[in-house]
Amino acid sequence: MTASRNGRVRGTVRLLAGAALGAAAARAAYASLTARTPGFGGVAGDELWGRTNHRGEPVTLLEGPAFVAGAASAGLLLPGLPLRLRAAALLAGTVPGALGGYDDLFGSGASRGFKGHLGALARGQVTTGAVKILGIGAAGLAAAAVAGSPAPSRGGRLFDTVLNGALIAGGANLMNLFDLRPGRAIKVGLLAGAPLAFTAGGAVTAAPLGAAAALLPADLGERAMLGDTGANALGALLGLAATRLGRGPRLAVFAGVAGLNAASEFVSFTKVIARTPVLHRLDMLGRRPVAVPDPVPAASGTTAPAAS
């Protein structure tokens, strides 16, 4: 009993330490990046990373690189994390993040979703989204292979690698689908990551959850957004944490992730959330109220035209 309790205490301490490291590193990275916004190819930093949000107001995409930097550096510094899992977390966070950044900065938006990007690829058009989809898929498989599998047989280990790679890549894409309103992707990440934090994948979730929580105020304040950079990285890291579950729960999680990714091709998550009172209240928690346009006053002294 004492050994079990000591193990739980050590796990909790490691989780809190990882979250604190992730939060501190992400805030430091965000402050540094916004103080001196990096440009590229002669394009000024503010222009390169600046975007317009759903209100038509300016926001910065630098929250994404700050998240990746915070989660990666904290993952490297966190003590007690097995070397293979540490390397897998670094791979799962940075490569999807870099590919997301490529799409953030150079994507045209002409094609959307798996259907749009893969359809364009079939016609011989290589979109940034297609590069990201294929690259994140490869990164997911690589991270799964690096993390390893406890299965005793070669076939079992191969099955786990394919399943885990798909879970990492699917998580990366799914989280990006929620990054359409302030704070939404981070809220989804925190809600999904909280139960994972108390499983065998808890050590993997600590740094990204801390980094995400530290950046949430800027996201809710509509000053910054994760973009593909941060959302892909957050989703991939949570997917990696889920790969530490037993095979049955893992298959259930994958079914949910795959189902939601498929549903996104036909259903607007934003509309579903808006029509569901509980989800809508959670989505609006901490956000500025939705602007309601002023009514247009009726012109005085006018008469309605006669019916023809």
Side-chain angles (χ1 to χ4, degrees):
M1 181 66 72
T2 302
S4 176
R5 184 180 302 149
N6 288 341
R8 288 196 298 270
V9 170
R10 285 194 298 271
T12 301
V13 170
R14 186 182 300 120
L15 180 64
L16 293 175
L21 281 170
R27 287 302 307 173
Y30 182 71
S32 175
L33 288 169
T34 52
R36 297 188 64 180
T37 305
F40 179 80
V43 180
D46 289 340
E47 181 181 349
L48 183 67
W49 296 97
R51 293 295 183 273
T52 301
N53 69 4
H54 68 290
R55 293 181 192 269
E57 298 175 353
V59 294
T60 179
L61 287 170
L62 288 172
E63 181 185 333
F67 170 81
V68 174
S73 56
L76 288 174
L77 295 172
L78 182 63
L81 195 63
L83 181 60
R84 289 176 67 98
L85 200 53
R86 195 186 302 273
L90 184 64
L91 184 59
T94 57
V95 176
L99 290 165
Y102 168 65
D103 198 23
D104 275 336
L105 298 182
F106 304 109
S108 68
S111 300
R112 295 185 180 277
F114 282 108
K115 184 177 179 180
H117 291 300
L118 297 182
L121 188 61
R123 297 190 298 271
Q125 302 170 9
V126 181
T127 66
T128 56
V131 171
K132 187 180 73 167
I133 289 170
L134 298 176
I136 288 178
L141 286 172
V146 169
S149 162
S153 67
R154 180 179 297 178
R157 291 191 293 273
L158 178 61
F159 176 84
D160 279 347
T161 298
V162 173
L163 172 62
N164 293 349
L167 188 51
I168 293 167
N173 188 71
L174 180 60
M175 192 59 65
N176 193 38
L177 298 175
F178 287 106
D179 191 39
L180 296 176
R181 292 295 183 271
R184 181 183 293 172
I186 292 181
K187 288 176 184 175
V188 171
L190 294 175
L191 288 172
L196 289 172
F198 298 97
T199 68
V204 177
T205 63
L209 290 186
L215 295 169
L216 182 58
D219 205 312
L220 288 173
E222 303 188 21
R223 300 186 298 276
M225 60 183 291
L226 284 174
D228 290 15
T229 307
N232 286 152
L234 175 58
L237 286 167
L238 292 179
L240 176 63
T243 67
R244 302 298 91 190
L245 298 171
R247 187 171 290 178
R250 217 178 332 141
L251 285 167
V253 172
F254 174 70
V257 170
L260 287 172
N261 272 298
S264 71
E265 297 290 325
F266 309 98
V267 177
S268 165
F269 288 176
T270 294
K271 290 181 179 179
V272 171
I273 290 170
R275 291 196 300 260
T276 309
V278 173
L279 295 179
H280 179 65
R281 285 195 293 270
L282 181 60
D283 192 44
M284 293 303 301
L285 185 64
R287 284 176 51 185
R288 291 162 52 191
V290 177
V292 178
D294 294 330
V296 178
S300 58
T302 59
T303 58
S308 56

Short mmCIF file of all heavy atoms in Angstrom, two decimals, residues 13-53:
data_model
loop_
_atom_site.label_atom_id
_atom_site.label_comp_id
_atom_site.label_asym_id
_atom_site.label_seq_id
_atom_site.Cartn_x
_atom_site.Cartn_y
_atom_site.Cartn_z
N VAL A 13 3.42 14.55 -8.55
CA VAL A 13 4.47 15.57 -8.52
C VAL A 13 5.06 15.77 -9.92
O VAL A 13 5.28 16.90 -10.37
CB VAL A 13 5.58 15.18 -7.52
CG1 VAL A 13 6.79 16.11 -7.67
CG2 VAL A 13 5.05 15.25 -6.09
N ARG A 14 5.29 14.66 -10.64
CA ARG A 14 5.83 14.75 -12.00
C ARG A 14 4.83 15.47 -12.92
O ARG A 14 5.23 16.29 -13.76
CB ARG A 14 6.14 13.36 -12.55
CG ARG A 14 6.84 13.40 -13.91
CD ARG A 14 7.09 12.00 -14.45
NE ARG A 14 7.94 11.23 -13.56
CZ ARG A 14 7.58 10.10 -12.99
NH1 ARG A 14 6.38 9.59 -13.21
NH2 ARG A 14 8.41 9.44 -12.20
N LEU A 15 3.56 15.18 -12.75
CA LEU A 15 2.54 15.82 -13.57
C LEU A 15 2.50 17.33 -13.32
O LEU A 15 2.48 18.14 -14.26
CB LEU A 15 1.17 15.21 -13.26
CG LEU A 15 -0.04 15.76 -14.02
CD1 LEU A 15 0.09 15.47 -15.51
CD2 LEU A 15 -1.33 15.15 -13.48
N LEU A 16 2.51 17.72 -12.04
CA LEU A 16 2.48 19.15 -11.70
C LEU A 16 3.75 19.85 -12.16
O LEU A 16 3.70 20.99 -12.66
CB LEU A 16 2.29 19.32 -10.20
CG LEU A 16 0.93 18.85 -9.64
CD1 LEU A 16 0.92 18.96 -8.12
CD2 LEU A 16 -0.20 19.67 -10.25
N ALA A 17 4.89 19.17 -12.00
CA ALA A 17 6.15 19.77 -12.43
C ALA A 17 6.17 19.96 -13.94
O ALA A 17 6.60 21.00 -14.45
CB ALA A 17 7.32 18.89 -11.99
N GLY A 18 5.68 18.96 -14.69
CA GLY A 18 5.63 19.08 -16.14
C GLY A 18 4.71 20.19 -16.60
O GLY A 18 5.03 20.94 -17.52
N ALA A 19 3.56 20.30 -15.93
CA ALA A 19 2.61 21.37 -16.29
C ALA A 19 3.21 22.74 -16.00
O ALA A 19 3.06 23.67 -16.81
CB ALA A 19 1.31 21.17 -15.52
N ALA A 20 3.88 22.86 -14.86
CA ALA A 20 4.49 24.14 -14.51
C ALA A 20 5.61 24.50 -15.48
O ALA A 20 5.73 25.66 -15.91
CB ALA A 20 5.03 24.09 -13.08
N LEU A 21 6.42 23.52 -15.84
CA LEU A 21 7.48 23.77 -16.81
C LEU A 21 6.91 24.17 -18.17
O LEU A 21 7.39 25.11 -18.81
CB LEU A 21 8.35 22.52 -16.97
CG LEU A 21 9.39 22.24 -15.89
CD1 LEU A 21 9.98 20.85 -16.09
CD2 LEU A 21 10.49 23.29 -15.92
N GLY A 22 5.88 23.45 -18.60
CA GLY A 22 5.25 23.76 -19.88
C GLY A 22 4.66 25.16 -19.88
O GLY A 22 4.80 25.91 -20.87
N ALA A 23 3.99 25.53 -18.79
CA ALA A 23 3.38 26.86 -18.70
C ALA A 23 4.43 27.95 -18.73
O ALA A 23 4.31 28.94 -19.48
CB ALA A 23 2.55 26.95 -17.42
N ALA A 24 5.48 27.79 -17.94
CA ALA A 24 6.53 28.81 -17.88
C ALA A 24 7.25 28.95 -19.22
O ALA A 24 7.50 30.07 -19.70
CB ALA A 24 7.53 28.47 -16.77
N ALA A 25 7.55 27.82 -19.85
CA ALA A 25 8.27 27.86 -21.13
C ALA A 25 7.41 28.47 -22.23
O ALA A 25 7.89 29.26 -23.06
CB ALA A 25 8.71 26.46 -21.52
N ALA A 26 6.11 28.14 -22.25
CA ALA A 26 5.22 28.69 -23.28
C ALA A 26 5.03 30.19 -23.10
O ALA A 26 5.03 30.95 -24.09
CB ALA A 26 3.87 27.98 -23.23
N ARG A 27 4.87 30.65 -21.86
CA ARG A 27 4.71 32.09 -21.63
C ARG A 27 5.98 32.84 -22.02
O ARG A 27 5.92 33.92 -22.61
CB ARG A 27 4.38 32.35 -20.16
CG ARG A 27 2.97 31.96 -19.74
CD ARG A 27 1.88 32.66 -20.52
NE ARG A 27 2.02 34.10 -20.53
CZ ARG A 27 1.28 34.94 -21.26
NH1 ARG A 27 0.35 34.44 -22.06
NH2 ARG A 27 1.44 36.23 -21.20
N ALA A 28 7.14 32.26 -21.67
CA ALA A 28 8.40 32.91 -22.03
C ALA A 28 8.57 32.98 -23.54
O ALA A 28 9.00 34.00 -24.09
CB ALA A 28 9.57 32.17 -21.38
N ALA A 29 8.23 31.89 -24.22
CA ALA A 29 8.35 31.87 -25.68
C ALA A 29 7.40 32.87 -26.32
O ALA A 29 7.77 33.57 -27.27
CB ALA A 29 8.07 30.46 -26.20
N TYR A 30 6.17 32.96 -25.81
CA TYR A 30 5.19 33.89 -26.37
C TYR A 30 5.64 35.33 -26.18
O TYR A 30 5.54 36.15 -27.10
CB TYR A 30 3.84 33.66 -25.71
CG TYR A 30 2.73 34.54 -26.25
CD1 TYR A 30 2.21 34.33 -27.52
CD2 TYR A 30 2.21 35.59 -25.49
CE1 TYR A 30 1.20 35.14 -28.03
CE2 TYR A 30 1.20 36.39 -25.98
CZ TYR A 30 0.69 36.18 -27.25
OH TYR A 30 -0.30 36.98 -27.74
N ALA A 31 6.15 35.64 -24.99
CA ALA A 31 6.63 37.00 -24.72
C ALA A 31 7.79 37.36 -25.64
O ALA A 31 7.86 38.47 -26.18
CB ALA A 31 7.04 37.13 -23.26
N SER A 32 8.70 36.41 -25.84
CA SER A 32 9.86 36.68 -26.70
C SER A 32 9.44 36.85 -28.16
O SER A 32 9.91 37.77 -28.84
CB SER A 32 10.85 35.52 -26.56
OG SER A 32 11.93 35.67 -27.45
N LEU A 33 8.56 35.99 -28.64
CA LEU A 33 8.14 36.05 -30.05
C LEU A 33 7.34 37.31 -30.35
O LEU A 33 7.48 37.89 -31.43
CB LEU A 33 7.33 34.81 -30.39
CG LEU A 33 8.11 33.50 -30.50
CD1 LEU A 33 7.14 32.31 -30.57
CD2 LEU A 33 9.02 33.50 -31.72
N THR A 34 6.47 37.72 -29.43
CA THR A 34 5.65 38.91 -29.68
C THR A 34 6.44 40.20 -29.48
O THR A 34 6.09 41.23 -30.05
CB THR A 34 4.41 38.92 -28.78
OG1 THR A 34 4.80 38.73 -27.41
CG2 THR A 34 3.45 37.81 -29.17
N ALA A 35 7.52 40.14 -28.69
CA ALA A 35 8.35 41.32 -28.50
C ALA A 35 9.15 41.62 -29.76
O ALA A 35 9.34 42.79 -30.13
CB ALA A 35 9.28 41.13 -27.31
N ARG A 36 9.63 40.56 -30.41
CA ARG A 36 10.39 40.73 -31.66
C ARG A 36 9.86 39.71 -32.66
O ARG A 36 10.42 38.63 -32.84
CB ARG A 36 11.88 40.52 -31.42
CG ARG A 36 12.49 41.56 -30.48
CD ARG A 36 14.00 41.43 -30.44
NE ARG A 36 14.60 41.72 -31.73
CZ ARG A 36 15.92 41.69 -31.97
NH1 ARG A 36 16.76 41.35 -31.01
NH2 ARG A 36 16.39 41.96 -33.18
N THR A 37 8.77 40.05 -33.31
CA THR A 37 8.09 39.13 -34.22
C THR A 37 8.98 38.81 -35.42
O THR A 37 9.38 39.71 -36.16
CB THR A 37 6.76 39.74 -34.71
OG1 THR A 37 5.97 40.08 -33.58
CG2 THR A 37 6.00 38.75 -35.57
N PRO A 38 9.30 37.53 -35.62
CA PRO A 38 10.22 37.18 -36.71
C PRO A 38 9.58 37.29 -38.08
O PRO A 38 8.44 36.86 -38.28
CB PRO A 38 10.59 35.72 -36.39
CG PRO A 38 9.42 35.19 -35.62
CD PRO A 38 8.91 36.36 -34.82
N GLY A 39 10.28 37.87 -39.02
CA GLY A 39 9.83 37.93 -40.40
C GLY A 39 10.48 36.82 -41.22
O GLY A 39 11.24 36.00 -40.70
N PHE A 40 10.18 36.81 -42.52
CA PHE A 40 10.76 35.77 -43.39
C PHE A 40 10.69 36.25 -44.83
O PHE A 40 9.68 36.77 -45.28
CB PHE A 40 9.98 34.46 -43.24
CG PHE A 40 10.48 33.35 -44.11
CD1 PHE A 40 11.60 32.61 -43.75
CD2 PHE A 40 9.84 33.05 -45.32
CE1 PHE A 40 12.08 31.59 -44.56
CE2 PHE A 40 10.31 32.03 -46.13
CZ PHE A 40 11.43 31.30 -45.76
N GLY A 41 11.79 36.05 -45.55
CA GLY A 41 11.83 36.36 -46.98
C GLY A 41 11.46 37.79 -47.31
O GLY A 41 10.82 38.05 -48.33
N GLY A 42 11.86 38.71 -46.45
CA GLY A 42 11.57 40.11 -46.70
C GLY A 42 10.19 40.55 -46.24
O GLY A 42 9.84 41.74 -46.37
N VAL A 43 9.38 39.62 -45.72
CA VAL A 43 8.04 39.97 -45.22
C VAL A 43 8.16 40.30 -43.74
O VAL A 43 8.73 39.53 -42.96
CB VAL A 43 7.05 38.81 -45.43
CG1 VAL A 43 5.67 39.20 -44.91
CG2 VAL A 43 7.00 38.42 -46.90
N ALA A 44 7.62 41.44 -43.32
CA ALA A 44 7.69 41.85 -41.92
C ALA A 44 6.95 40.85 -41.04
O ALA A 44 5.97 40.22 -41.46
CB ALA A 44 7.08 43.23 -41.76
N GLY A 45 7.43 40.71 -39.81
CA GLY A 45 6.86 39.73 -38.89
C GLY A 45 5.38 39.91 -38.63
O GLY A 45 4.61 38.93 -38.63
N ASP A 46 4.95 41.15 -38.41
CA ASP A 46 3.53 41.39 -38.12
C ASP A 46 2.64 41.00 -39.29
O ASP A 46 1.54 40.49 -39.11
CB ASP A 46 3.30 42.87 -37.77
CG ASP A 46 3.89 43.24 -36.42
OD1 ASP A 46 4.12 42.32 -35.61
OD2 ASP A 46 4.13 44.44 -36.18
N GLU A 47 3.14 41.22 -40.49
CA GLU A 47 2.37 40.85 -41.68
C GLU A 47 2.38 39.33 -41.87
O GLU A 47 1.36 38.73 -42.24
CB GLU A 47 2.96 41.53 -42.92
CG GLU A 47 2.21 41.21 -44.20
CD GLU A 47 2.83 41.87 -45.42
OE1 GLU A 47 3.72 42.73 -45.25
OE2 GLU A 47 2.43 41.52 -46.55
N LEU A 48 3.51 38.72 -41.61
CA LEU A 48 3.66 37.28 -41.81
C LEU A 48 2.77 36.49 -40.85
O LEU A 48 2.10 35.54 -41.26
CB LEU A 48 5.12 36.87 -41.62
CG LEU A 48 5.48 35.41 -41.87
CD1 LEU A 48 5.32 35.07 -43.34
CD2 LEU A 48 6.91 35.13 -41.41
N TRP A 49 2.75 36.87 -39.58
CA TRP A 49 2.04 36.12 -38.55
C TRP A 49 0.67 36.69 -38.21
O TRP A 49 -0.08 36.10 -37.44
CB TRP A 49 2.89 36.05 -37.28
CG TRP A 49 4.16 35.29 -37.47
CD1 TRP A 49 5.40 35.83 -37.73
CD2 TRP A 49 4.34 33.88 -37.45
NE1 TRP A 49 6.33 34.83 -37.86
CE2 TRP A 49 5.71 33.62 -37.69
CE3 TRP A 49 3.47 32.80 -37.24
CZ2 TRP A 49 6.24 32.34 -37.73
CZ3 TRP A 49 4.00 31.52 -37.28
CH2 TRP A 49 5.36 31.29 -37.52
N GLY A 50 0.33 37.84 -38.77
CA GLY A 50 -0.95 38.47 -38.46
C GLY A 50 -2.09 37.89 -39.28
O GLY A 50 -1.93 37.55 -40.45
N ARG A 51 -3.23 37.73 -38.66
CA ARG A 51 -4.43 37.24 -39.32
C ARG A 51 -5.64 38.04 -38.84
O ARG A 51 -5.56 38.82 -37.90
CB ARG A 51 -4.66 35.75 -39.03
CG ARG A 51 -3.62 34.81 -39.61
CD ARG A 51 -3.63 34.81 -41.12
NE ARG A 51 -2.67 33.86 -41.68
CZ ARG A 51 -1.40 34.14 -41.92
NH1 ARG A 51 -0.92 35.35 -41.65
NH2 ARG A 51 -0.60 33.23 -42.43
N THR A 52 -6.78 37.84 -39.49
CA THR A 52 -8.03 38.48 -39.08
C THR A 52 -8.95 37.40 -38.56
O THR A 52 -9.15 36.37 -39.22
CB THR A 52 -8.68 39.20 -40.28
OG1 THR A 52 -7.77 40.17 -40.78
CG2 THR A 52 -9.97 39.88 -39.85
N ASN A 53 -9.52 37.61 -37.36
CA ASN A 53 -10.35 36.57 -36.76
C ASN A 53 -11.80 36.67 -37.24
O ASN A 53 -12.13 37.44 -38.14
CB ASN A 53 -10.25 36.61 -35.23
CG ASN A 53 -10.91 37.86 -34.64
OD1 ASN A 53 -11.51 38.68 -35.34
ND2 ASN A 53 -10.80 38.01 -33.33
#
